[in-house]
Amino acid sequence: MPRPIPPSRTTLGIITIDTLVEQGDLRAAERTAAGYCAAALAETSWEGPRLPMSLATLRTAQGDPRSALALLRESSHHFETAGIVNPAIVSWRSRAAGVRLLLGDARAARNLAEQELELARALHAFAGALLRRDDKSGARKALGRAGGIAARCGAFRLAGRVQQRLHDAGGRIAGREADGGSTLTAGEERVAVLAASGMSNKEIAACLFVSLRTVGTHLTATYRKLGIGGRPELAAEMAALAGSRSQGPTPAA
């Protein structure tokens, strides 16, 4: 019987695989993935089921969406058994929606996106309850997660409500960049919206018909202007930016 893999090693594997896929080094990502045993992962803590999500991203990049979908189903089964549903932690639904679109199943993709969106609404309501208890710190955390989900789903009206409640909770004003007020260019915003939706740099380059270097340059400028450290914060920032525009979806979206 295989020995359980320590959670710290699983987390390192997840980060390594995601980073290598992001860099387009699929061979190295595959070598890293080969060092893990699915049977052993089942015995680890909740970090274990997150690995199939990263493997699904790898399989999608390799042009095998059906294997990716099977991995996401496996991941969802473990999470649902454990009662873990927060999409800010386990975003398998939005990933599966993207794979379903690749397979031409738009209806299933829409259903998955709607399920994740319902969880965003639940986080929004939860934040309201926290505010009534004067727990502004907890409310800001919940709203940050809700905003990120709304951005991935393209739910700009909900993003606007999240932004208003975030303001009530003492959060940062939407669209206020760290460098003194400069705004994103059209190219930067197009790349940022796609990155916030979960697409890799390689996928964004193919979608926009630009080079990987251009994608990287736009993302670096976006992080600087928004005053964030990278992708983990990008979805919430784009949701806040979208929510500040009363006319609805951003032109880039």
Side-chain angles (χ1 to χ4, degrees), residues 211-233:
S211 68
L212 277 171
R213 183 175 182 179
T214 297
V215 173
T217 298
H218 283 335
L219 283 176
T220 298
T222 297
Y223 300 154
R224 175 179 57 80
K225 289 180 178 181
L226 296 181
I228 60 177
R231 282 177 183 259
E233 303 166 77

Side-chain angles (χ1 to χ4, degrees), residues 44-222:
T44 66
S45 61
W46 74 272
E47 288 93 339
R50 292 180 63 196
L51 184 60
M53 289 171 43
S54 293
L55 296 178
T57 301
L58 173 58
R59 297 290 175 255
T60 301
Q62 291 171 331
D64 188 2
R66 295 192 182 279
S67 293
L69 191 59
L71 285 163
L72 289 168
R73 285 171 176 162
E74 175 190 345
S75 179
S76 69
H77 171 73
H78 286 295
F79 285 128
E80 288 176 354
T81 299
I84 301 172
V85 297
N86 189 337
I89 300 173
V90 291
S91 56
W92 67 266
R93 292 176 184 82
S94 54
R95 297 193 189 199
V99 175
R100 285 289 191 181
L101 281 176
L102 286 175
L103 293 171
D105 193 347
R107 178 177 295 180
R110 181 182 180 86
N111 288 338
L112 286 163
E114 287 177 348
Q115 289 173 26
E116 189 147 311
L117 190 55
E118 281 302 314
L119 293 170
R121 294 190 180 103
L123 281 170
H124 179 249
F126 176 58
L130 291 175
L131 279 176
R132 287 191 290 274
R133 294 175 54 186
D134 202 30
D135 184 358
K136 292 186 176 181
S137 175
R140 286 194 295 268
K141 291 178 182 178
L143 290 167
R145 292 169 178 170
I149 299 164
R152 289 199 301 271
C153 295
F156 294 99
R157 184 171 295 179
L158 175 60
R161 294 200 300 271
V162 169
Q163 167 60 20
Q164 182 57 53
R165 184 155 278 176
L166 182 61
H167 181 270
D168 295 341
R172 210 174 67 161
I173 299 174
R176 188 179 70 183
E177 293 80 7
D179 64 351
S182 62
T183 57
L184 300 182
T185 66
E188 289 164 356
E189 189 167 350
R190 280 193 291 269
V191 169
V193 167
L194 294 178
S197 74
M199 291 178 67
S200 69
N201 284 16
K202 186 175 182 179
E203 290 169 331
I204 295 170
C207 179
L208 298 178
F209 300 100
V210 297
S211 68
L212 277 171
R213 183 175 182 179
T214 297
V215 173
T217 298
H218 283 335
L219 283 176
T220 298
T222 297

